[in-house]
Amino acid sequence: MTRLVIGTLLGLLLLSGCRELVSVQVTAEGNARLEQTQLKRFAVTHYTATHERQAQLMQKVDAALQANAAAAQLVPLNDQRPMQTGLAKPKLLGAVGEVVTRRMRRAGYATDTRDPQMLISVDCLYGPYAVRNPMSGAVGRATVHAVAMHVYASGGELDRPIWSGTAIAVCAEPRFAVMAPYLIAELVEAFPRSDGEVQIVRIALPEAD
């Protein structure tokens, strides 16, 4: 299902270059008992962000892109431009954290920096992705956007989250600032689901000014 949806999107990008509906791949996994807990107070932190965690997000994105390009019978170009990451841009990471804070509040959770029950940390990346149709030689270019949200128990092990979610989108929209709030909204909606299954959601982007 995942391969079909995103693969089809990549194929359509080769033909049309623009779509109002964007498919987002959302995964969520964590402690199975998390849904029965009463964790309501949280704080967003960035000191748990690491190169290892950023690399794990990159691996998930690479795997999704390779699998879906293959399903759509497209070939990724060998010379891909590098992705921009939140770990390399602290201001970007901070901006994503602010959106997470607002979304969690809207979902009924309370910010508490003095006595949080949960510590939330994020990773993000975005950048261009190019594929080629081996039959026609046509090249399609899109942008990958990805956000990972990790939840740690306050006072617990900060190298082992009790919940992690990832949202990945491939679309014609190049601006991460436009896509990030949608991806974060889907992650907050998924929390604290912990089945580990991939879900595909479709979002409608606003029309460009």
Side-chain angles (χ1 to χ4, degrees):
M1 179 178 180
T2 304
R3 295 183 180 183
L4 175 62
V5 173
I6 299 181
T8 300
L9 174 60
L10 287 171
L12 287 169
L13 284 168
L14 283 173
L15 298 175
S16 65
C18 181
R19 285 180 62 83
E20 294 182 359
L21 290 178
V22 175
S23 296
V24 181
Q25 173 183 314
V26 182
T27 57
E29 55 188 341
N31 190 314
R33 293 174 294 179
L34 187 58
E35 295 184 46
Q36 282 73 52
T37 63
Q38 299 298 317
L39 302 180
K40 288 295 183 181
R41 304 189 309 275
F42 76 96
V44 172
T45 180
H46 300 299
Y47 70 84
T48 57
T50 63
H51 289 284
E52 180 182 1
R53 216 174 60 181
Q54 185 70 66
Q56 291 172 351
L57 176 58
M58 183 70 78
Q59 289 174 355
K60 290 181 180 180
V61 169
D62 286 342
L65 290 173
Q66 292 287 341
N68 292 299
Q73 299 183 338
L74 301 172
V75 179
L77 299 188
N78 291 328
D79 187 18
Q80 300 281 353
R81 292 171 57 189
M83 298 284 179
Q84 302 295 314
T85 69
L87 196 61
K89 293 186 173 183
K91 288 185 178 180
L92 176 62
L93 208 58
V96 172
E98 290 176 3
V99 178
V100 169
T101 297
R102 293 196 295 269
R103 282 290 179 177
M104 289 292 287
R105 286 174 176 169
R106 289 177 58 179
Y109 297 90
T111 305
D112 190 336
T113 57
R114 293 186 176 182
D115 185 27
Q117 297 168 305
M118 302 177 288
L119 296 175
I120 299 177
S121 186
V122 295
D123 300 309
C124 60
L125 66 83
Y126 68 96
Y129 181 66
V131 292
R132 177 175 56 83
N133 186 321
M135 300 298 293
S136 66
V139 173
R141 302 184 186 277
T143 302
V144 184
H145 306 271
V147 176
M149 189 171 92
H150 306 278
V151 179
Y152 301 86
S154 182
E157 299 178 79
L158 295 182
D159 61 345
R160 185 175 302 177
I162 57 176
W163 185 90
S164 291
T166 304
I168 302 171
V170 183
C171 61
E173 173 55 62
R175 295 167 297 175
F176 183 71
V178 171
M179 289 302 303
Y182 292 98
L183 303 184
I184 293 167
E186 295 302 331
L187 291 174
V188 172
E189 176 70 22
F191 180 75
R193 177 171 64 84
S194 57
D195 53 24
E197 296 182 358
V198 175
Q199 291 189 356
I200 300 296
V201 297
R202 293 175 69 81
I203 60 175
L205 299 182
E207 293 184 4
D209 295 334

